Amino acid sequence: MVRPGRADVTAGPTLAVVARAAGVSVPTASKVVNGRQDVAPETRRRVTEALDRLGYIRRPRFDTGRVPRLVDLVVRSLEETGSGAVLHGAEEAAHDAGLEIVVSAAANRGRPDGPERDWLDKLVLRGSSGVLFHLAELSEPQYAWLERHRVPFVMVDPVLEPPAGVVSVGAANWQGGVTATEHLLSLGHERIAVVTGRRPTMSGDARVAGYRSALASAGVRHRAEYVRRAGPDAAAARRRTHELLDLPEPPTAVFACSDRTALGVYEALAERGLRVPDDMSVVGFDDLPESRWPTPPLTTVRQPLSEMAATALRLLLRMMDGHHPESTRTELSTRLVERASTARPGPGR
C-alpha cells in the first residue's frame, strides 16, 4: 500500500555507488538523475538500470519542513474534453487551498513495460508533494515507483480497479446504469439494449450491472443478444448497432455506456435511414460537451468530473498531511440529464 509522505532523503545507495555500478562518473550519473539531455543513450540506459536495480531514491528539490505548495495533475490527453473538466475542478480546489498545479499528459511513448521516466522522475525533482492521476490505469512498475518514493496520490475516475490501498474518486456508475434504464422503462420500452466497452472495466461493468438490475426490478426479461461490446471509438459502436438492428427482434432503445458510444449509435441509425428518437431512443453516459452537439441532443447520465477532481484534491491534501482516508473509494452521485433523444416507442414497435 502506498503510504502518504515525501521522498525518503536518507535511505538507499549514494549516487557514487550508482555511478560505480554503471561504470560512469558521478557527474554523468547526476546528469541522468536530473533529466539532463547531454548524455549518450547507451550511457543513460546503463545509469537508469543501475538506479532501478539499486533502488536509488531521487532527492526532491524542496525543503521538507515547509508547507506543500505544488501538486501534479497527470491526465491521459490534454485533447480529451473530460480532461478539461478534471482540470477545472482540480484548479478551483487547489486555488482555495493556496496550491499550484502542474499539468502533464502521460504519453506512453512506446514504453508499456515500465514507468514513464520523464514525468515520474520530475514529480520528485521539481518538489511536487502529491499527484492526481486522471488515467485509465497505472502499470505495476509505476505503482512501485510511487511507493518507493513515498509520493501520495489519488486516482480520479480510474477505468480499471486500482490495487488494494490505492485511493480513488469516481462516479456512482451502478446507480447511473439503473437511472438510465429506468428512464427508458418509464417511457414504455422493454426491448432495451446496452452497448459497453470492448474489455471489462470497473466503470463499464458497474453500468451494465445497473442496467440488468433495473430490468430485473421491472420484471423485464434480460436478453443476452442485447448486450454488445464495442471499442472506445464511435466506429465500433456503429458496427455493434448495425448488429442489433439486424436481430429478428431489434431493440427499441439503446443505453450507451459513454457519450462517444452513443454518437456511434446515432451514426448507425442515420445510415439505416432511422431517426432518433422516433425509431429508437438513445441514452448516453458522461454528459460531455459533445452530448449537446448531435441532432437531437443526447439524453445522458451526468458524472460530475469537476466535482470528482475537487474531492480528489481535498483527499490528497489530507494525505500530504499524513492522514490516510478510512475508505479508499469515494463515489459521487450521478443524475439523468433529459434532452430530446428519448421518447415512447413508436407505433408497432
Side-chain angles (χ1 to χ4, degrees):
M1 180 179 74
V2 177
R3 296 184 298 275
R6 301 181 179 86
D8 187 341
V9 297
T10 59
T14 65
L15 194 58
V17 172
V18 172
R20 190 162 51 249
V24 301
S25 67
V26 172
T28 298
S30 179
K31 287 181 180 181
V32 175
V33 168
N34 288 284
R36 293 269 297 275
Q37 300 302 311
D38 52 339
V39 180
E42 175 60 22
T43 302
R44 182 181 301 278
R45 182 191 64 78
R46 295 204 316 271
V47 174
T48 296
E49 289 179 353
L51 290 168
D52 290 341
R53 184 172 67 253
L54 298 173
Y56 180 82
I57 306 298
R58 291 152 182 80
R59 274 66 172 173
R61 293 175 179 167
F62 58 85
D63 179 359
T64 57
R66 68 179 176 86
V67 177
R69 302 294 299 174
L70 182 68
V71 296
D72 269 70
L73 170 63
V74 184
V75 300
R76 286 185 287 264
S77 168
L78 295 174
E79 297 178 356
E80 292 185 5
T81 51
S83 296
V86 169
L87 176 57
H88 175 74
E91 275 189 324
E92 285 198 342
H95 176 76
D96 292 343
L99 295 175
E100 297 291 335
I101 285 187
V102 175
V103 183
S104 57
N108 202 13
R109 300 174 189 170
R111 297 184 56 184
D113 58 339
E116 183 61 61
R117 178 72 57 190
D118 289 344
W119 58 265
L120 280 178
D121 281 354
K122 287 177 182 177
L123 296 180
V124 172
L125 293 174
R126 66 169 159 253
S128 294
S129 300
V131 194
L132 296 181
F133 287 108
H134 180 48
L135 304 173
E137 59 183 315
L138 292 173
S139 66
E140 288 187 11
Q142 287 169 334
Y143 281 121
W145 189 99
L146 290 161
E147 181 172 7
R148 186 167 69 249
H149 290 80
R150 299 185 182 181
V151 177
F153 68 96
V154 179
M155 303 289 291
V156 181
D157 190 31
V159 173
L160 299 183
E161 185 170 0
V166 172
V167 177
S168 67
V169 178
N173 291 295
W174 180 86
Q175 186 58 54
V178 169
T179 300
T181 309
E182 286 182 341
H183 171 66
L184 294 169
L185 289 166
S186 72
L187 294 171
H189 293 277
E190 293 190 354
R191 304 201 318 260
I192 304 171
V194 61
V195 182
T196 186
R198 181 176 61 245
R199 59 173 178 163
T201 64
M202 179 172 60
S203 56
D205 290 354
R207 294 168 193 179
V208 173
Y211 153 84
R212 288 175 170 163
S213 178
L215 291 180
S217 296
V220 175
R221 179 172 63 92
H222 167 256
R223 304 188 188 200
E225 67 271 23
Y226 280 0
V227 179
R228 299 284 164 156
R229 289 195 173 273
D233 57 0
R238 187 178 70 246
R239 292 192 293 270
R240 299 294 87 80
T241 303
H242 279 299
E243 294 171 0
L244 290 169
L245 293 170
D246 288 336
L247 291 173
E249 194 172 26
T252 62
V254 173
F255 166 38
C257 286
S258 75
D259 289 346
R260 291 187 180 90
T261 298
L263 297 180
V265 175
Y266 269 62
E267 291 176 10
L269 293 171
E271 290 169 354
R272 294 292 185 100
L274 301 175
R275 295 177 298 172
V276 178
D278 303 54
D279 299 300
M280 183 176 286
S281 289
V282 183
V283 177
F285 202 112
D286 287 326
D287 194 29
L288 298 175
E290 47 261 51
S291 65
R292 303 171 181 84
W293 299 344
T295 303
L298 178 66
T299 294
T300 188
V301 176
R302 180 180 183 271
Q303 62 168 341
L305 280 171
S306 290
E307 294 90 333
M308 288 154 57
T311 299
L313 192 283
R314 288 189 285 268
L315 286 171
L316 181 62
L317 284 172
R318 289 186 52 80
M319 293 170 66
M320 290 190 302
D321 287 338
H323 305 287
H324 201 75
E326 292 183 6
S327 173
T328 57
R329 174 70 176 177
T330 300
E331 292 191 349
L332 303 189
S333 61
T334 55
R335 65 179 178 86
L336 185 73
V337 180
E338 291 190 52
R339 296 193 178 101
S341 66
T342 56
R344 297 190 63 81
R349 298 183 70 85

